[in-house]
Amino acid sequence: MAKIKIDAERCKGCGLCILYCPKGCIAMSRKLNKRGVKPVKFKAGSGCTGCTFCALICPDCAIEVYR
Amino acid sequence: MNRKLQLMTGNEAIGEAAVCAGCKLYAGYPITPQNELTAYMSKRMTEEGRAFIQSESELAAISMVFGASVTGERSMTSSSSPGISLKQEGISYLAGCRLPSVIINIMRGGPGLGNIAPSQADYFQATRGGGHGDYRVIVLGPASVQEAFDLTVDSFNLADKYRMPAMVLADGLLGQMMEPVSVTRYPLPKAKKSWALTGAKNRKPNVIKSLFLRPGALEEYNIELQKTYDEIKKKEVRFEALYCDDAEIIIVAYGTTSRIARAAVKNLRKKKKRVGLLRPITLWPFPEEAIAKYAKKTKGFLVAEQSMGQMVEDVKLAVAGSAKVRLYGRPGGGIPTDEEIEKEVLRLKI
Amino acid sequence: MKKIFQRPESLQNVVTHYCAGCGHGIIHRLVAEVIDELKVREKVIGIAPVGCAVLAYDYWNFDVTEAAHGRCPAVATGMKRVHPENIIFTYQGDGDLAAIGTAEIVHAANRSENITVIFVNNGVYGMTGGQMAPTTLIGQKTSTSALGRDVVRDGYPLKISEMLSVLDGVKYIERRAVYSPTEVIKAKKAIRKAFENQINGVGFSMVEILAMCPTYTKRSLKASIDWIKEYASKYFPLGVIKG
């Protein structure tokens, strides 16, 4: 199994990771970060394969991938 | 220290001076009356294994100088009036980034395309910064081919010392006439420039920029720049005073015009006329204290310029009304003769 | 579990000023990753343009300067000529490179200066509020082409990469995009090649990258992506243009 760690303060909520995650493991969170932006969050146990698509497309380098 | 005496044009002497001062990059673009300088550098810099670029425009050339300077290397560009106008934004960036650099202006008649005759009509542009923002450039005005050599070397040293652009302001006559020059080769500067961009090895990255968006940051930065300019005004003023102590009338002139004024002064002295010559060598910083001092003793000043009168304003500022100031100006490439200046002095009923 | 993706050393740990979904953020990271992988962080000098990326020196973790608008290639020339051992690259937007800096990029390319140029084509002037750029597409609405770019008034989008490719001095030009992970992977490969060319003294190398600017193409991020896929990359086809 694999997982990702999202830095909620770096995330600007653009949603590119959600668009490109092949397994739908990422969703918008309802909490606001310090910049008043709704970041994304990782849904644990949602079948992440560590393909790094989310991290590749993230404009803010907010995602770390573990496998 | 090999003291060779060579017959050289002013343009070539300036080029050789840059080589002797350790200039590592020269970028230039063709424009009369300074073409001999670019041609000379294309030969000499290549001989010395240093960078020579004939750029696509004068404003590209000043950016190439920016590039070399930002890595800590001595660099120079040269042009003539219209080309110097194209470089002004780049010069403002060099001042804003505190980058040592040398710019040579072999002035020609203006405005617009003007002509290719000598002129001094870029005085304001040179001594008031020339581009946007509050900054100054050190401006040196040679009056002989030897002095063109020496002041070019000095401009590299002053630019490094104060981390700013320095300009040699000559004109087409000085650039293209030949005089013997004693050439002196100087050791390459060794002073380490820790601010330079050399690759962040064993240190934090250096950033060199002139953008200060944080409120108040640019204001603070300008005040810092001004301290440097104030220090230069205190320490680096240079001028020559000839027969000024007992002079009733002092002619103020620089560069080519000062040579002509010198002849007029000598002729007038033979006719027992108490006339002196004050020749600014640093046009910025301007020798205002010296002029103010003489203004208390002399009756008046005749400012002789190859323009409609630009340095005359600095003289008026220095004199501050305590003596008369008159202008004898020949614009558009007109060159005064010593008889004209003599007649002008005698005409002054002071 | 091992960490297999993280922020490259050549990218500072700061939040950028770029808008959400902006292509600059991705491209900054790709440049930083390539510099780390080629182990040149301590030899590289970056030149930031005037435009949205002017603040790049706050985001990269190596020596950077900032050139007057359009003059990066001339600054890079000056640097490379006196310090050929350094790795010099310019990072420029479409206004900086293809409008005011056209002469500089053409002549640096024609002299085959051994530098790397990263050219971000997002089709508008972002920093100044979304004006028409040389690469704005026909019919595309911007703050200075409110009814859509009109060929009669505004001329055609400038194909600068194709234009430069005819110059003998140009050794490598590739146009990529960053609108999807697969495109990001291809873009990184191109950037890496452009830097490797410089390390191997091959000569002038440039990568043009079509980037999203959701804020000023006035579309959602998804629509910006589709705009690039269906429209921009028809006028500006992706792929190796030279070398």
Side-chain angles (χ1 to χ4, degrees):
Chain A
M1 275 309 283
K3 69 177 170 88
I4 62 172
K5 219 172 82 195
I6 294 165
D7 180 337
E9 291 313 321
R10 283 185 81 104
C11 172
K12 292 176 184 160
C14 74
L16 276 171
C17 52
I18 298 173
L19 188 65
Y20 283 110
C21 172
K23 299 284 186 197
C25 309
I26 308 171
M28 299 299 288
S29 86
R30 273 188 298 281
K31 287 208 315 353
L32 297 179
N33 70 11
K34 284 202 211 72
R35 299 158 60 93
V37 165
K38 282 186 186 137
V40 295
K41 65 179 177 5
F42 174 57
K43 294 188 283 184
S46 50
C48 169
T49 65
C51 71
T52 75
F53 270 20
C54 55
L56 283 171
I57 200 65
C58 175
D60 294 286
C61 217
I63 301 174
E64 286 182 340
V65 184
Y66 298 81
R67 191 167 51 199
Chain B
M1 292 277 275
N2 50 348
R3 303 191 66 77
K4 286 184 299 186
L5 211 52
Q6 297 171 347
L7 197 58
M8 303 176 86
T9 64
N11 284 332
E12 286 161 350
I14 289 169
E16 187 56 33
V19 170
C20 291
C23 174
K24 279 292 189 50
L25 175 137
Y26 169 86
Y29 185 86
I31 184 167
T32 304
Q34 64 85 56
N35 292 312
E36 296 80 4
L37 207 170
T38 307
Y40 188 77
M41 292 302 261
S42 71
K43 187 167 73 70
R44 285 290 287 124
M45 290 294 272
T46 311
E47 277 168 8
E48 298 279 336
R50 300 178 187 173
F52 167 83
I53 306 159
Q54 181 172 314
S55 58
E56 56 272 27
S57 71
E58 288 93 345
L59 64 84
I62 195 77
S63 289
M64 292 170 187
V65 162
F66 183 104
S69 176
V70 94
T71 68
E73 298 301 341
R74 286 189 158 184
S75 58
M76 178 173 101
T77 184
S78 67
S79 186
S80 174
S81 309
I84 299 293
S85 292
L86 283 174
K87 294 180 194 290
Q88 291 306 327
E89 184 198 26
I91 294 171
S92 175
Y93 269 71
L94 287 166
C97 293
R98 301 197 59 209
L99 287 174
S101 42
V102 171
I103 302 109
I104 311 292
N105 183 1
I106 309 294
M107 289 183 281
R108 64 188 251 175
L113 193 49
N115 64 14
I116 55 171
S119 159
Q120 295 182 321
D122 303 351
Y123 177 90
F124 278 155
Q125 183 191 58
T127 57
R128 271 40 180 190
H132 58 285
D134 275 311
Y135 71 94
R136 291 300 171 102
V137 170
I138 293 171
V139 183
L140 306 167
S144 70
V145 173
Q146 180 66 57
E147 199 174 35
F149 180 94
D150 299 333
L151 293 184
T152 299
V153 174
D154 290 349
S155 60
F156 278 100
N157 296 332
L158 289 166
D160 273 350
K161 181 176 173 186
Y162 294 102
R163 278 185 65 184
M164 61 189 286
M167 177 179 279
V168 174
L169 195 63
D171 61 55
L173 197 149
L174 200 57
Q176 294 188 328
M177 75 181 189
M178 297 183 94
E179 282 182 330
V181 182
S182 159
V183 172
T184 312
R185 184 99 185 194
Y186 296 90
L188 289 178
K190 275 188 293 303
K192 193 135 174 21
K193 297 175 179 174
S194 57
W195 47 263
L197 304 191
T198 53
K201 189 173 174 56
N202 307 326
R203 63 167 169 75
K204 274 180 30 326
N206 283 341
V207 172
I208 292 183
K209 63 174 173 78
S210 50
L211 182 68
F212 296 85
L213 289 175
R214 182 175 55 76
L218 187 56
E219 184 171 3
E220 285 160 36
Y221 185 71
N222 268 283
I223 289 165
E224 278 309 306
L225 285 180
Q226 191 57 44
K227 284 186 192 137
T228 305
Y229 301 145
D230 293 342
E231 186 189 349
I232 294 168
K233 279 189 197 161
K234 253 201 256 84
K235 294 184 183 158
E236 304 294 349
V237 171
R238 297 187 209 174
F239 63 92
E240 178 195 356
L242 181 69
Y243 311 133
C244 286
D245 291 331
D246 70 340
E248 282 180 342
I249 291 173
I250 294 176
I251 302 173
V252 183
Y254 71 97
T256 303
T257 315
S258 71
R259 300 170 69 109
I260 301 161
R262 188 186 301 270
V265 165
K266 289 199 169 123
N267 297 343
L268 288 164
R269 280 280 165 173
K270 283 197 197 96
K271 298 173 186 160
K272 299 284 175 274
K273 296 285 175 208
R274 299 214 320 273
V275 179
L277 167 69
L278 190 137
R279 175 172 79 94
I281 297 170
T282 54
L283 302 172
W284 193 88
F286 191 69
E288 49 209 25
E289 272 165 27
I291 289 177
K293 192 188 76 185
Y294 286 121
K296 296 193 184 68
K297 295 189 290 181
T298 187
K299 291 200 182 109
F301 294 86
L302 177 72
V303 180
E305 289 183 79
Q306 289 169 250
S307 74
M308 295 298 284
Q310 296 185 18
M311 182 174 64
V312 63
E313 292 193 8
D314 281 338
V315 174
K316 282 183 177 163
L317 284 173
V319 167
S322 63
K324 287 200 171 46
V325 178
R326 293 289 179 278
L327 165 74
Y328 181 67
R330 292 285 306 275
I335 304 170
T337 65
D338 49 357
E339 291 87 5
E340 282 167 26
I341 293 179
E342 266 178 71
K343 205 151 66 355
E344 202 57 31
V345 167
L346 298 174
R347 206 164 58 78
L348 294 176
K349 295 273 175 301
I350 298 173
Chain C
M1 269 199 264
K2 210 160 66 59
K3 189 190 289 187
I4 58 164
F5 192 102
Q6 62 188 322
R7 177 175 50 80
E9 189 194 357
S10 289
L11 203 62
Q12 292 186 40
N13 184 12
V14 292
V15 179
T16 71
H17 74 292
Y18 296 118
C19 309
C22 168
H24 277 304
I26 301 169
I27 301 164
H28 279 33
R29 190 195 76 236
L30 296 182
V31 168
E33 285 171 354
V34 164
I35 285 169
D36 280 3
E37 286 157 23
L38 296 176
K39 298 188 174 43
V40 289
R41 194 186 72 81
E42 292 180 345
K43 286 203 313 181
V44 76
I45 304 174
I47 306 171
V50 168
C52 285
V54 67
L55 298 175
Y57 49 74
D58 285 337
Y59 308 133
W60 283 320
N61 183 24
F62 44 75
D63 280 5
V64 181
T65 188
E66 174 241 309
H69 197 23
R71 312 313 169 201
C72 295
V75 171
T77 299
M79 283 183 182
K80 193 68 181 182
R81 292 294 185 100
V82 290
H83 279 291
E85 76 285 1
N86 281 104
I87 302 303
I88 311 288
F89 76 94
T90 78
Y91 184 103
Q92 300 174 255
D94 33 31
D96 195 86
L97 184 140
I100 190 170
T102 315
E104 278 74 13
I105 194 67
V106 165
H107 286 276
N110 197 52
R111 290 189 301 264
S112 199
E113 299 293 339
N114 187 30
I115 59 175
T116 303
V117 174
I118 308 298
F119 167 36
V120 179
N121 172 0
N122 60 11
V124 285
Y125 281 79
M127 174 64 91
T128 45
Q131 291 78 15
M132 175 173 62
T135 50
T136 294
L137 297 168
I138 298 167
Q140 183 178 342
K141 292 187 175 63
T142 71
S143 68
T144 50
S145 62
L147 305 176
R149 178 175 191 156
D150 162 26
V151 168
V152 173
R153 192 193 72 168
D154 309 317
Y156 296 84
L158 188 58
K159 295 184 174 177
I160 193 109
S161 286
E162 284 80 357
M163 197 173 96
L164 293 175
S165 67
V166 301
L167 302 175
D168 295 339
V170 169
K171 302 307 177 193
Y172 171 65
I173 290 188
E174 182 163 358
R175 179 181 294 125
R176 299 293 356 147
V178 283
Y179 57 71
S180 72
T182 32
E183 286 306 328
V184 165
I185 291 166
K186 289 180 194 163
K188 178 173 176 179
K189 229 149 93 274
I191 292 172
R192 182 177 173 114
K193 179 160 189 209
F195 272 94
E196 277 167 350
N197 278 355
Q198 179 172 170
I199 293 169
N200 303 327
V202 170
F204 184 86
S205 302
M206 179 169 99
V207 181
E208 175 182 351
I209 303 172
L210 304 185
M212 302 83 75
C213 173
T215 302
Y216 288 115
T217 41
K218 296 213 171 7
R219 285 172 175 71
S220 70
L221 183 49
K222 180 76 178 61
S224 292
I225 289 170
D226 296 340
W227 169 268
I228 294 174
K229 261 194 226 172
E230 276 115 36
Y231 194 39
S233 50
K234 297 292 178 294
Y235 201 89
F236 296 113
L238 304 184
V240 175
I241 295 166
K242 184 166 187 184

